[in-house]
Amino acid sequence: MYPTIYHAIKDLFGLDLPFLKLLQSFGFFVAIAFLLAAWLLSKELKRRTELGQFKSSLRKVIEGAPASASDLAIQGVFGFVLGWKIIGMIITPGAGNDPRTFLLSGEGSIVAGLLTGIAMAGWRWFSANKQKLDQPKEKEVPVTAADHVGNITLMAALGGLIGAKLFHILENFGSFMEDPGGMLFSFSGLTMYGGLILGSVFVLLYARKHNMPLLQLCDAAAPSLMLAYGIGRLGCQISGDGDWGVENHSFHPGFMPDWFWAYNYPNNVNGEGVPIPGCEGANCNQLPFNVFPTPLYETLACCLLFIPLWIYRKKLVVPGLLFSIYLVMNGCERFLVELIRVNEVLFHIGSFPVVQAEIIAVVLLVIGITGIILTRRRHRQQTAS
């Protein structure tokens, strides 16, 4: 397992680059997932705009205006924080050994922060001044649906981070009560479904504000959501963040690699298990038994499910139908994998334990099936009329 990109680069290429300890493996793959999803969504929105499903809007801009005081202030503050923490960590001896502690502390380089802040504010002023006109003029520019992808991605990331942390706290409320500050401000402990749900809420609110057709937007996003979820789970697998399965002592199929059937997650980011002989430093534990590598199964399943969603996106013309199918696929996949994943049990139905993710999976499944029925019925009625 590679808790950070630093560990991966050092193990694979022998390069010792301490600043890479900033890049948590899980966060790195989540970022890749967001970028890939944004790219696919942009392509799909452009295609659907050409079909007339999305309409462009007009936005007023002032051409040739100098940089405002607020623009300069924002650039300066952002640059100060960047220099204070990031550059400060690079030039401060020993800071790279524990970047998370350093980032959450009051330490940093004030000089680097001031210089970086002044440089970024100066560059913003210089860039605006080059295009400044004697008499700035107002004009209207078209804004297509694809132009909203950056803001949509930002809304999804913000809502996803809040939701992932919130749902993780709810899933592990006992641990949260023991150490609320540690769980709240740590970089680990994120729940995929929480991020998906609240991130979706933020995006839908943004889309409604900008008069984007919600069902068409959901359909456009369905394939990219499935693929992004799978890539995010790959981050769980590589970092070993605790989303593994139950003990696996069942018969090992001969055609399947050992690590794909049962794994003990050495050097996992959570530090769970027993010490690894001869290992020194942080992340030197491994599980004392082999478990199902469930994040890996989800990555494979979601990548396979992405294929039919991407193929049929052009064939399913009923608004909302493709997204409803995505919900059914996602609910089924998640419910099945939770049967072999380690989870905190909420309650029992007879002898059957019920966990939070299973409840959400069933809800998504029901919503998806209902959506399929309603969208098809509505389409038949509209066709008949």
Side-chain angles (χ1 to χ4, degrees), residues 28-74:
F28 175 79
F29 279 95
V30 168
I32 295 297
F34 269 102
L35 292 174
L36 181 57
W39 178 67
L40 290 175
L41 178 60
S42 179
K43 287 175 61 68
E44 185 62 3
L45 288 177
K46 289 178 181 178
R47 185 186 72 86
R48 290 175 179 266
T49 299
E50 293 175 356
L51 295 175
Q53 297 175 1
F54 290 87
K55 296 181 180 179
S56 299
S57 59
L58 294 176
R59 179 179 62 188
K60 292 182 179 180
V61 298
I62 300 177
E63 190 178 59
S68 65
S70 60
D71 284 343
L72 297 177
I74 291 172

Side-chain angles (χ1 to χ4, degrees), residues 3 7 265-287:
H7 293 89
Y265 288 89
N267 309 108
N268 64 81
V269 71
N270 284 4
E272 293 191 24
V274 297
I276 301 174
C279 181
E280 298 180 358
N283 307 115
C284 279
N285 282 14
Q286 62 184 6
L287 301 182

Side-chain angles (χ1 to χ4, degrees), residues 201-214 217:
V201 170
F202 275 42
V203 169
L204 291 177
L205 290 175
Y206 175 87
R208 185 177 180 181
K209 178 182 177 182
H210 293 274
N211 299 315
M212 301 177 72
L214 298 184
L217 178 61

Side-chain angles (χ1 to χ4, degrees), residues 154-168:
L154 181 62
M155 290 294 101
L158 179 61
L161 179 62
I162 297 173
K165 180 62 71 173
L166 178 61
F167 274 64
H168 177 73

Side-chain angles (χ1 to χ4, degrees), residues 100-338:
R100 288 181 294 180
T101 300
F102 182 83
L103 288 176
L104 294 175
S105 71
E107 299 182 49
S109 174
I110 301 295
V111 174
L114 290 173
L115 292 177
T116 307
I118 293 172
M120 292 189 67
W123 178 254
R124 177 70 184 93
W125 176 86
F126 176 75
S127 299
N129 196 59
K130 283 176 61 178
Q131 303 175 6
K132 187 173 67 172
L133 299 176
D134 293 336
Q135 293 184 344
K137 56 183 180 181
E138 182 180 89
K139 68 176 184 177
E140 292 184 331
V141 296
V143 180
T144 66
D147 292 330
H148 289 283
V149 168
N151 289 336
I152 288 175
T153 303
L154 181 62
M155 290 294 101
L158 179 61
L161 179 62
I162 297 173
K165 180 62 71 173
L166 178 61
F167 274 64
H168 177 73
I169 291 173
L170 294 176
E171 273 188 344
N172 304 273
F173 195 71
S175 301
F176 173 73
M177 294 303 295
E178 293 177 3
D179 184 17
M183 182 176 288
L184 192 60
F185 296 105
S186 69
F187 288 97
S188 60
L190 298 172
T191 300
M192 281 286 188
Y193 260 157
L196 178 64
I197 293 172
L198 202 58
S200 299
V201 170
F202 275 42
V203 169
L204 291 177
L205 290 175
Y206 175 87
R208 185 177 180 181
K209 178 182 177 182
H210 293 274
N211 299 315
M212 301 177 72
L214 298 184
L215 290 180
Q216 298 286 9
L217 178 61
C218 289
D219 285 341
S224 57
L225 283 174
M226 184 64 78
L227 186 60
Y229 182 80
I231 294 174
R233 279 303 185 199
L234 190 59
C236 296
Q237 173 68 19
I238 291 177
S239 65
D241 69 348
D243 285 324
W244 46 67
V246 297
E247 286 188 55
N248 182 11
H249 298 298
S250 55
F251 173 75
H252 175 210
F255 65 88
M256 194 175 291
D258 292 342
W259 51 266
F260 192 85
W261 181 247
Y263 200 53
N264 65 343
Y265 288 89
N267 309 108
N268 64 81
V269 71
N270 284 4
E272 293 191 24
V274 297
I276 301 174
C279 181
E280 298 180 358
N283 307 115
C284 279
N285 282 14
Q286 62 184 6
L287 301 182
F289 42 76
N290 288 333
V291 300
F292 286 105
T294 48
L296 197 57
Y297 298 164
E298 286 205 272
T299 294
L300 179 61
C302 291
C303 288
L304 291 176
L305 292 173
F306 161 78
I307 296 174
L309 288 174
W310 187 252
I311 292 175
Y312 282 96
R313 78 193 194 281
K314 294 182 179 180
K315 300 178 181 180
L316 301 176
V317 296
V318 181
L321 181 57
L322 186 67
F323 186 72
S324 298
I325 294 173
Y326 157 76
L327 291 178
V328 171
M329 288 180 170
N330 188 283
C332 289
E333 176 274 321
R334 188 61 188 268
F335 184 84
L336 292 174
V337 82
E338 292 304 324

